[in-house]
Amino acid sequence: MSTKELLNFDHIVIGSGLAGLFTAIQLSKLGSVAVITKRGIDESNTRYAQGGIACVMDKKEDSFKQHVKDTMGAGDHLCKAEIVRTIVENGPSAVNELIHLGAHFTTRGEMGHKQDGKDYDLGREGGHTRRRVLHAGDITGEEVEKILISTCRSKQNITFFENHIAIDLITTSRLGWLGEDSVHGAYVLDTHKNIVKTFTSMSVTVATGGAGKVYLYTSNPDIACGDGVAMCYRAHVPIENMEFFQFHPTILYHPKVTSFLISEAVRGEGAILKRLDAKGDLVEFMDRYHEMKSLAPRDIVARAIDNELKRSGQNCVFLDIRHKKEDFLRRRFPNIFEKCMEVGINMAVDPIPVVPAAHYCCGGVKTGVNGFTGINGLYAVGEVASTGLHGANRLASNSLLEALVVAKFAAKDIKSKMRKLSDSRASGKIPTWRSGNATNSDEQVVITHNWEEIRKFMWDYVGIFRTNKRLERAKNRIKNIRREIEKYYWDFLITPDLVELRNIASVAEIIIDSAMSRKESRGLHFNADYPQREPEMDFVDTVIQQPYS
Ligand code: FAD
Ligand code: SIN
């Protein structure tokens, strides 16, 4: 395999979801930017976002104080209050920038309200006490991604590298050099040409998104392998609160459809969660779990569904919004309505079968509100990062908001450090990637087997309901698999599947270790051996870091 190609940019952004693209737009004012992305430019979690962006746009009915309170409430005594306040208060200006770039959000007029027709039609989701979710029908992510891609394409100093998967970060410590740890670029596999390229730069922003593929059932697309968390971990950046993996309560349950989300906004418009009773009637059950019933925070709803399914032995529960007119449902949820119709479910007539699935990684690469990781020039923005906004359970639709605000702060921080970053630049001296070159017909089956095994035991043992025994079982298995992968990684020709498997395994182990170290139940982390929240653990983060040797 050739490893000789060297490319120099002022700034590198890894990932082309909202976090990566919005950061690239900000950085394009400072110099040349490479956007590296492992599939097509628009393939990302962002593209599938439905509910919208939580933001205080209506100061009469809502307030920053209330948004902060709802975020902190969902986060179960683990959010960082100052970070929450900063992100919430800077939301409107970041969202307005997006609107200025051309993003269109649904207005009340479009929903048939004559009065205040130009005002935004704000949705509601679990844990929110107000309507504050700005949306583009139920395809908010598609709208945002489209606008950001076209804006990036219009900037001469942004270059896209599609089908390029980042393998590892190049840092001072990785190179064995002395001095303050700085990032110098990344090794990247061009998956079409099958060559590893060396990208060098003054700053690297990791915006690789989430890690839903660590679990067997997920709402996330295939790109969500936790690559950024694993790369930063190998670069010795602290990784925070990974035990808090969010399970979305309502993924469509149908043999012909995988990973299709039924937005929480459907509950925001009045849908009620129900299950079948012994007589075969649909009955409500969330009233037994939380005062907000079907609109309770996500951790509580997902756990309640899990409990109901285990007690009844049934395969799914149901979302019932049959009291709404078909015309309203088609207008408010065009994509969801269509998808359900494709498999014979008319939301206005039929209850929708749903189950929980892995959805959002609340923890991640530890950063400040400006995305800075502590390593000179290295930033993490979006779902890959942990700023302290989400705590033990993310409030719905706060992630797009966080990515927008933090992207702006990151670019500002990079701008303020340009002289220092330029001085520590080391492009000429960086060695190219060294890789094994053996191939083996056995390789693919080993990769597939390990991949499936990890996702299955993570679902069974490190999912919604955990116990010490389950976590120990998962730990034993992941140790063996990681040993096997490390051998493959260095002996055999590097492939995208191998890169992703190595990262999935690493993230799985970090989740397991984080879960084992938290001896209580809080937010999304429930361990039946420690069923209570321990007040002395309030605002105490779990931090895992690969030691410098
Ligand atoms: P992504 O949008 O996931 O982008 C990551 C990018 O990194 C991708 O381009 C990927 O290909 C690339 N990448 C990954 N690894 C590598 C690598 N090694 N090398 C190169 N490129 C790489 N949140 C909300 O706030 N509101 C919602 O309504 C909402 N709805 C959602 C619905 C669904 C179905 C899902 C899955 C999530 C939803 N979320 C929602 C969560 C939200 O969409 C994500 O948290 C957010 O979009 C993450 O943005 P990001 O830019 O950080 O990552
Ligand atoms: C949804 O629309 O239910 C997803 C919102 C989110 O994950 O924030």
Side-chain angles (χ1 to χ4, degrees), residues 15-16 19 37-38 43 45-46 49 51-52 166 209 227 360 383 397 399-400:
S16 59
T37 191
K38 68 178 173 179
E43 189 54 347
N45 273 4
T46 300
D227 294 352
Y360 185 87
E383 187 168 342
S397 287
S399 46
L400 296 177

Side-chain angles (χ1 to χ4, degrees), residues 50-51 125 248 261-265 298 359 394 396-399:
Q50 295 184 350
E125 294 181 55
H248 196 294
L261 185 78
I262 306 292
S263 175
E264 216 163 69
R298 235 171 240 182
H359 181 64
R394 176 182 63 109
S397 287
N398 261 357
S399 46

Side-chain angles (χ1 to χ4, degrees), residues 262-332:
I262 306 292
S263 175
E264 216 163 69
V266 177
R267 273 176 281 144
E269 298 298 346
I272 292 170
L273 279 162
K274 294 185 176 171
R275 67 167 172 82
L276 284 174
D277 70 5
K279 289 187 274 170
D281 294 328
L282 280 178
V283 290
E284 209 176 324
F285 58 88
M286 276 310 299
D287 46 353
R288 287 192 284 109
Y289 293 91
H290 196 273
E291 64 201 13
M292 290 176 86
K293 301 180 185 170
S294 291
L295 268 180
R298 235 171 240 182
D299 53 338
I300 290 157
V301 181
R303 214 156 33 239
I305 295 175
D306 188 61
N307 190 39
E308 292 295 321
L309 294 181
K310 285 203 176 109
R311 269 171 20 133
S312 66
Q314 288 163 11
N315 291 326
C316 64
V317 293
F318 295 87
L319 260 182
D320 191 349
I321 191 157
R322 292 175 294 175
H323 54 281
K324 288 281 187 188
K325 296 232 160 59
E326 182 168 328
D327 175 51
F328 168 81
L329 293 173
R330 279 184 184 275
R331 212 168 338 157
R332 177 66 179 88

Side-chain angles (χ1 to χ4, degrees), residues 192-239:
H192 280 178
K193 290 193 188 149
N194 201 27
I195 56 174
V196 178
K197 300 175 177 172
T198 307
F199 281 76
T200 78
S201 58
M202 282 186 278
S203 80
V204 175
T205 300
V206 178
T208 49
K213 296 300 280 188
V214 170
Y215 287 95
L216 188 57
Y217 302 110
T218 176
S219 66
N220 291 190
D222 286 348
I223 52 96
C225 303
D227 294 352
V229 168
M231 282 190 286
C232 288
Y233 175 72
R234 289 193 289 274
H236 307 282
V237 182
I239 309 296

